[in-house]
Amino acid sequence: MTAFGRDLVQVVKFKSFSQPPNSEGLIRRVELEKYHELQYHAGRTISLLHSPHGEPFIAVARTLDRQADTPTLPEGWSLTKHLLEDDLRVDLNGEVSVLRMDNEDSYQGPLPAELVF
């Protein structure tokens, strides 16, 4: 991509707004094409959001002015926390769903099957 007379690498491309994954509208879903790598160091606690189908999504952003510390979860969804014993690398490459919760926290995934917690 070229902008302002410079060549830039485009790492995110908007694909679509999807139907909310729940009937209550507590989660907003956006589909992106991304090429990101997330690094988490051993000793860090990560938060995972699990869909009713068992798909895990990792927390990547917390909005400072969010309404509550914990999001309201629709039926069948769950949150878990995991203390990492080893460093963790998450590649978000290709089609990625971004889930925005009612408290404005953001989760992305689904994570690859080889990342089991």
Side-chain angles (χ1 to χ4, degrees):
M1 175 173 90
T2 302
F4 308 108
R6 295 184 176 181
D7 291 328
L8 304 170
V9 176
Q10 182 176 353
V11 294
V12 177
K13 181 178 180 183
F14 172 78
K15 300 296 271 184
S16 67
F17 286 108
S18 295
Q19 283 290 95
N22 64 88
S23 60
E24 299 96 333
L26 297 171
I27 301 173
R28 297 183 311 273
R29 184 180 205 137
V30 175
E31 301 296 329
L32 302 174
E33 181 178 333
K34 293 183 84 163
Y35 297 94
H36 284 171
E37 176 184 294
L38 304 174
Q39 293 280 344
Y40 299 90
H41 296 290
R44 179 170 178 180
T45 300
I46 60 169
S47 177
L48 296 177
L49 173 68
H50 302 271
S51 77
H53 306 292
E55 298 171 305
F57 297 82
I58 193 164
V60 295
R62 300 188 81 189
T63 303
L64 293 177
D65 62 348
R66 63 187 177 278
Q67 302 163 359
D69 194 40
T70 305
T72 307
L73 297 177
E75 186 175 333
W77 291 78
S78 64
L79 278 175
T80 58
K81 295 198 181 287
H82 300 275
L83 177 62
L84 296 176
E85 295 179 12
D86 299 306
D87 289 351
L88 173 66
R89 180 178 139 191
V90 177
D91 291 318
L92 296 173
N93 295 321
E95 298 282 328
V96 175
S97 294
V98 176
L99 305 179
R100 181 71 68 171
M101 309 305 289
D102 68 335
N103 70 344
E104 300 302 323
D105 287 353
S106 174
Y107 290 80
Q108 297 184 22
L111 296 179
E114 64 269 13
L115 294 179
V116 177
F117 297 95

